[in-house]
Amino acid sequence: MNQSSALLTDHYELTMVQAALASGHAERPCVFEAFARRLPAGRRYGVLAGTGRALEALKDFRFGAEEIAFLREREVVDESTVDWLADYRFTGDIWGYAEGEIYFPGSPLMVVESTFAQGVVLETLFLSILNHDSAVASAASRMTAAADGRPCIEMGSRRTHEGAAVASARAAYLAGFGSTSNLEAGRRFDIPTMGTAAHSYTLLHEDERETFANQLASLGLETTLLVDTYDVKGAVELAVELAGPELGAVRLDSGDLVSQAHEVRAQLDSLGATGTRIVVTSDLDEYAIAALQAAPVDAYGVGTRVVTGSGHPAAGMVYKLVSRANDDGTMEGVAKASKDKLSVGGRKYALRRRNSDGVAEAELIGINVQPAGDGDDRSLLVPLVERGSVVAPTDVRSAREHHATARAELPLRALRLSSGEPAIPTTYLDDWS
């Protein structure tokens, strides 16, 4: 059995359950919704990631003997609530955008239909996963778009928490990265892994000749040699001397990467190594990748900036109660009206309005009613959980494929890196004409 995810939550989630049980409101039918009020400043679209991980975590959301003992020891909630939690099983329904989908302000990314108590305890768990993974995927998507077909390698494990490193590798792969340096991500999610050597391996040896000779002997001619430890020009010449024109790649990790890439490409070609690839690393982000588009670069290794969301480490998603049952059984939309934190009440339905060429034009959201399409449009909400059972795919490859399709629908302005408004507007049904 997998480790329980039940305590990956906030204290107040359980005290709300206690109060609701005491007042008789715990079993009231409710609808919760996860959404982002806005995109990070300057971003034109977001990418939903982490849904698969959230659904897998839902399967393990059980208060077992150890979790119950902790709650009793700390007196987090009273005994009747402990008994309720010991029997907790989510039996409701969850709808949501497919993982990998593009989203905009107000998009109902996850719609949870359950009793109040069953749904409220999932808030922290779901948000912690969706906020992190979507932030990474949104940044990664901008990077792969800027790379325009050239491979991106995720290599940020040393720049974040060890658990976040694995989740980040998954989110980056979802958004188009071709591989990761993280072996646990490779094992857990079947993501291609790659890597060769760091500067420490070069410094281990007396000189670069010994370094390169030993690496080539062990890893073969297709390996990537790191050529900027001392002198790039001399290292490239030595690399081709030892490996010949079959050398797989060289890596640049410092300096003016644009000019160096041009110089190294010219040198490699002059030495007959026309097929040797150039890989660049060194604190890359989407802007640096875009600047390198005119340079003869074959692949990009991205670390810190991708695993930290390229300046936006959380996606800003919230999880709100948007509808609850009245005493007569009818559902009523509810929403907070706090300043700067407005929500829209009511159960949401969503449609991606597309023109006849399949290009996205608007995010159309219906309140308590499914918007009608015109034949070119695409319904966005899909079943994730039915009567407590996960029914949606949770693997990253399905999400990766969906993201590629969804991003291809966007108008070209969505891929601009300059600051701007969301690529398409979010329009609620009452405002649609």
Side-chain angles (χ1 to χ4, degrees), residues 45-48 97 100-104 352 363 403 406-407 410:
Y45 67 94
V47 179
L48 175 63
Y97 283 26
E101 184 61 76
I102 303 297
Y103 73 85
F104 299 95
R352 184 69 43 80
E363 192 88 338
H403 175 65
R407 193 175 74 179
L410 293 176

Side-chain angles (χ1 to χ4, degrees), residues 38-47 101-107 141-142 145 352-355 359-364 406-427 432:
R38 60 190 66 87
L39 298 177
R43 295 285 176 89
R44 295 170 185 259
Y45 67 94
V47 179
E101 184 61 76
I102 303 297
Y103 73 85
F104 299 95
S107 297
S141 181
R142 285 160 59 87
R352 184 69 43 80
R353 175 133 289 177
R354 302 184 297 182
N355 64 23
V359 177
E361 293 185 323
E363 192 88 338
L364 181 57
R407 193 175 74 179
E409 290 179 353
L410 293 176
L412 290 178
R413 62 180 176 274
L415 304 183
R416 296 173 187 163
L417 296 180
S418 57
S419 294
E421 297 299 314
I424 62 174
T426 300
T427 306
W432 187 260

Side-chain angles (χ1 to χ4, degrees), residues 87-348:
D87 293 330
Y88 178 88
R89 298 291 186 273
F90 182 79
T91 60
D93 297 330
I94 302 178
W95 293 75
Y97 283 26
E99 188 173 15
E101 184 61 76
I102 303 297
Y103 73 85
F104 299 95
S107 297
L109 302 176
M110 187 175 283
V111 178
V112 178
E113 300 175 315
S114 67
T115 66
F116 174 81
Q118 282 198 20
V120 75
V121 295
L122 300 176
E123 174 186 8
T124 301
L125 178 67
F126 282 175
L127 284 183
S128 64
I129 295 173
L130 297 181
N131 266 314
H132 173 269
D133 289 21
S134 297
V136 173
S138 295
S141 181
R142 285 160 59 87
M143 293 172 188
T144 55
D148 195 25
R150 296 175 181 177
C152 291
I153 308 159
E154 186 281 314
M155 46 193 299
S157 295
R158 291 164 293 166
R159 300 293 187 263
T160 189
H161 180 275
E162 67 272 17
V166 180
S168 295
R170 182 185 184 280
Y173 183 70
L174 177 159
F177 273 59
S179 57
T180 179
S181 65
N182 190 287
L183 290 176
E184 178 58 25
R187 182 180 73 90
R188 192 178 303 179
F189 302 120
D190 193 28
I191 300 171
T193 62
M194 65 185 308
T196 49
H199 288 101
S200 59
Y201 181 75
T202 302
L203 298 173
L204 170 69
H205 296 82
E206 293 297 324
D207 54 33
E208 284 184 316
R209 178 175 291 277
E210 184 183 14
T211 300
F212 293 168
N214 287 342
Q215 184 174 332
L216 289 163
S218 177
L219 302 180
L221 297 181
E222 275 299 304
T223 192
T224 299
L225 297 179
L226 183 55
V227 294
D228 73 335
T229 306
Y230 305 115
D231 172 66
V232 172
K233 185 175 181 180
V236 171
E237 183 174 353
L238 178 60
V240 177
E241 175 192 333
L242 294 173
E246 303 304 315
L247 175 63
V250 296
R251 177 161 75 95
L252 298 170
D253 188 52
S254 60
D256 183 346
L257 296 176
V258 174
S259 60
Q260 277 199 105
H262 282 288
E263 292 167 0
V264 169
R265 181 75 270 157
Q267 184 181 6
L268 287 170
D269 290 348
S270 71
L271 295 171
T274 56
T276 299
R277 303 180 304 280
I278 297 175
V279 180
V280 298
T281 52
S282 186
D283 293 326
L284 300 183
D285 61 11
E286 60 266 49
Y287 302 101
I289 291 172
L292 285 161
Q293 273 302 293
V297 172
D298 297 286
Y300 307 95
V302 189
T304 303
R305 297 294 285 180
V306 69
V307 299
T308 58
S310 195
H312 299 285
M317 294 179 188
V318 295
Y319 182 95
K320 298 299 179 185
L321 179 65
V322 296
S323 186
R324 61 169 171 76
N326 292 316
D327 291 339
D328 63 3
T330 60
M331 298 298 291
E332 178 182 355
V334 295
K336 62 184 295 184
S338 307
K339 185 177 181 181
D340 300 325
K341 290 188 175 181
L342 296 175
S343 300
V344 178
R347 205 274 195 199
K348 312 300 189 311

